[in-house]
Amino acid sequence: MPATNRDPAGVERTRPLYEVVNNDKKRVAYFYDSDIGNYAYVTGHPMKPHRIRLAHSLVMNYNVYKFLEIYRAKPAVTSEMTQFHTDEYIEFLQKVTPDNMDGFMREQGKYNVGDDCPVFDGLYEFCGISAGGSMEGAARLNREKCDIAINWAGGLHHAKKSEASGFCYVNDIVLAILELLRFKKRVLYIDIDVHHGDGVEEAFYTTDRVMTVSFHKYGEYFPGTGELRDIGIGTGKNYAVNFPLRDGINDATYETIFEPVIRSVMEYYQPEAVVLQCGGDSLSGDRLGCFNLSMRGHANCVNFVRSFNLPTLVLGGGGYTMRNVARTWAYETGRLVGVEMDSVLPYNEYYDYYGPDYELDVRSSNMENANSTEYLEKIKIAVIENLKKTAPVPSVQMQDVPRQGLGMSDDQDDELDDNDEDENKDVRMTQRQWEKKIMRHNEYEDSDDEDMAEANGVYRPNGRIRRSILEFQNPNAVEDDMEIDSGVATPAPKANEEVADNDDTMLEDAEPEPVEARTEAEAPADVAAKAAAETDKMDVDGDVDMAEVEENAGEATIKTEEVDGTAISESARKKPPAPGATDSASDGEGSKTKDASVSPANSTAKDDEEAAIANEEPGKPAATPGDATEHGEADKQA
């Protein structure tokens, strides 16, 4: 790209948005429902579905979407959710709302809904979107329509058969694994969330057809399960793997345990499909996490699992610092399609979330690592020894594939394509065609439909520049250099200064009081009270420090006000109006800083004029450059 190419944030794009690092042409299906960001648990709750919308925006504006097949999955319905959950529990989730929740107090206690898992508007619909994407992704993997399926709205691993837990209501992971088991003999579940994946482990604790592997914080931590000795029971003995960790684990240490354990799992278990839960609360600085992983350390786990070339379902999970979770999931989406994304963020609709560095990176901190090498080595050896006790390959009795598959069949998909073409005969590219279109890594010509991309939230890199507030000026406003004849000679401004008419009148529609109506009857106490009130007001707003005002209360200083970066004198700002003019500007002085030494004798028009002339003595500067008002300093800080 040329050096003059700037994105809408004004950043020069001397490097491309991404670089292809793996050209193995994996087919990646990406599930996203734009409604997911509209749901909110309750005010102040750490779980914010809006983070998925942030991640999607980065995926679109990095142009990674060109390598994805984008789908909006059909939300899961009651009959699909009850393949794992009880009918009564799902019926409760469908009925309860914030308006009628008082009538379900007994059920809330029974199903653990209320505190960590609050009732909010659209609860059942939110669960349907989350579960629908995961189940549809599993169905497409079964039909060999893709090699990797991604659903960042999924990964809610704490939900139990008839109980909500840890912000999770419906366990989309269990539902997706049940779908995979229709065609796959063995499924491997890997969990890199900071919390133990207790809901998934509990669901498959007694079977050898699913191996659950969880790397998590253990000891005085939610949910309190996941001990090394929890290995499964019955047929499922040794098929539950738990790796308990301590606070502060970093990238290098995590890699020394994750890769050997997963390599051993692949060797001994030989799964036919993988489900990877990528909880973002294991990142450094997470609101509820205690690990110290960077974005790239987290993504290395995803890339390592990808290297085994198995059908893989990638899901979201925890993560409570939105901007870090969004960065990481977007970056991992890029790694899954084989590209390395540039560290400088492209402009997007949530650009301000990523300040002040505006980079695609989550760095580790200097947090102490409580995981000693001896401790980790001991746990790793115990885990691998348990894996050796598993059967060479668990056998599965030959039987018919149970029930009808979830999602659309190939015939239904083709019918939708035909209907889409018939209904949009005059459209060059329909929304459905755009979402299914994939750009290959070896393509050099970008044939993307820019209008369709812009309609889906992609900002043109060399198009609109980020708008400035100065571009929207009122054409009817009074010009700064307009001169008003006050009958008093105006001193020449200093170099680099302009005399501006700064009428900050706040009540423009009010009837101003004539100058002649103002008398000397205004008591000194009233003037002092007004000055004190103004001082108090500014202190509350954070503009002026109270102690500083009290120290300078007896000093008469010439204050300046900065207008558009130009300092002007108090005398120039307080020019009396021309004969016959009203004193509206004087009424507006209440919004400005007042000198505490104002005298009641200065309230008459005659004395105002004399004071103005006195302030304009020859040789006396209009203002000093460093004598800016507190308002000017506040503007600079803002």
Side-chain angles (χ1 to χ4, degrees), residues 36-288:
I36 193 69
N38 297 334
Y39 298 97
Y41 277 45
V42 289
T43 303
H45 197 283
M47 173 62 94
K48 301 185 186 301
H50 183 58
R51 66 205 173 127
I52 301 160
R53 184 177 284 169
L54 265 65
H56 179 72
S57 179
L58 289 178
V59 168
M60 300 299 290
N61 285 283
Y62 264 108
N63 289 341
V64 173
Y65 72 91
K66 296 180 179 180
F67 306 104
L68 300 168
E69 292 182 19
I70 303 174
Y71 296 97
R72 179 171 182 159
K74 178 181 69 68
V77 296
T78 301
S79 60
E80 294 168 341
M81 295 181 188
T82 52
Q83 291 178 94
F84 170 61
H85 297 283
T86 62
D87 294 352
E88 296 80 11
Y89 174 56
I90 298 300
E91 184 181 357
F92 162 73
L93 293 180
Q94 192 171 11
K95 288 182 177 180
V96 69
T97 66
D99 296 330
N100 65 16
M101 59 186 293
D102 292 339
F104 290 92
M105 296 303 294
R106 186 180 66 84
E107 288 84 353
Q108 288 185 62
K110 178 181 178 181
Y111 300 127
N112 192 33
V113 172
D115 294 329
D116 285 353
C117 304
V119 177
F120 59 88
D121 286 324
L123 169 59
Y124 180 76
E125 290 76 11
F126 169 78
C127 295
I129 292 173
S130 172
S134 300
M135 298 172 78
E136 179 67 26
R140 294 193 72 82
L141 289 171
N142 278 341
R143 301 201 306 271
E144 298 182 354
K145 290 294 184 181
C146 62
D147 303 309
I148 299 172
I150 304 172
N151 178 33
W152 295 125
L156 305 181
H157 58 170
H158 292 307
K160 310 295 196 304
K161 187 178 185 68
S162 59
E163 180 182 318
S165 176
F167 315 154
C168 308
Y169 304 86
V170 171
N171 200 316
D172 63 287
I173 304 173
V174 173
L175 296 173
I177 292 176
L178 290 175
E179 175 66 19
L180 288 171
L181 289 174
R182 295 181 60 248
F183 288 86
K184 311 298 182 185
K185 296 178 181 179
R186 295 169 301 281
V187 176
L188 171 63
Y189 170 69
I190 304 173
D191 192 318
I192 60 174
D193 195 289
V194 74
H195 302 99
H196 178 230
D198 56 336
V200 183
E201 180 186 277
E202 181 180 302
F204 301 108
Y205 205 59
T206 61
T207 179
D208 59 359
R209 292 193 62 193
V210 178
M211 177 174 282
T212 59
V213 183
S214 179
F215 300 83
H216 54 270
K217 156 75 175 175
Y218 180 74
E220 297 299 324
Y221 199 68
F222 181 87
T225 55
E227 189 182 359
L228 174 64
R229 291 174 291 183
D230 295 337
I231 58 174
I233 58 175
T235 309
K237 188 175 182 180
N238 297 317
Y239 292 92
V241 178
N242 287 296
F243 204 116
L245 296 167
R246 298 169 181 168
D247 292 359
I249 190 167
N250 54 33
D251 295 350
T253 309
Y254 204 91
E255 184 178 351
T256 62
I257 62 167
F258 183 83
E259 294 189 1
V261 169
I262 297 303
R263 191 179 292 111
S264 297
V265 168
M266 295 292 183
E267 177 185 351
Y268 291 108
Y269 188 60
Q270 299 179 21
E272 295 186 351
V274 180
V275 177
L276 176 60
Q277 198 264 17
C278 303
D281 46 11
S282 51
L283 293 167
S284 177
D286 187 80
R287 184 174 173 183
L288 299 183

Side-chain angles (χ1 to χ4, degrees), residues 332-350:
E332 290 172 349
T333 304
R335 294 303 297 267
L336 288 168
V337 299
V339 301
E340 177 73 21
M341 293 148 72
D342 188 51
S343 60
V344 179
L345 288 174
Y347 183 73
N348 60 86
E349 55 192 320
Y350 306 108

Side-chain angles (χ1 to χ4, degrees), residues 377-398:
E377 193 67 22
K378 181 180 178 181
I379 300 294
K380 182 171 66 176
I381 291 173
V383 165
I384 294 177
E385 286 299 319
N386 286 337
L387 289 172
K388 292 179 180 179
K389 298 176 185 178
T390 60
V393 172
S395 60
V396 179
Q397 182 180 356
M398 295 299 293

Side-chain angles (χ1 to χ4, degrees), residues 143 145 408-418:
R143 301 201 306 271
K145 290 294 184 181
M408 289 183 295
S409 65
D410 294 344
D411 292 338
Q412 291 173 323
D413 203 29
D414 293 339
E415 184 179 352
L416 287 178
D417 287 337
D418 294 338

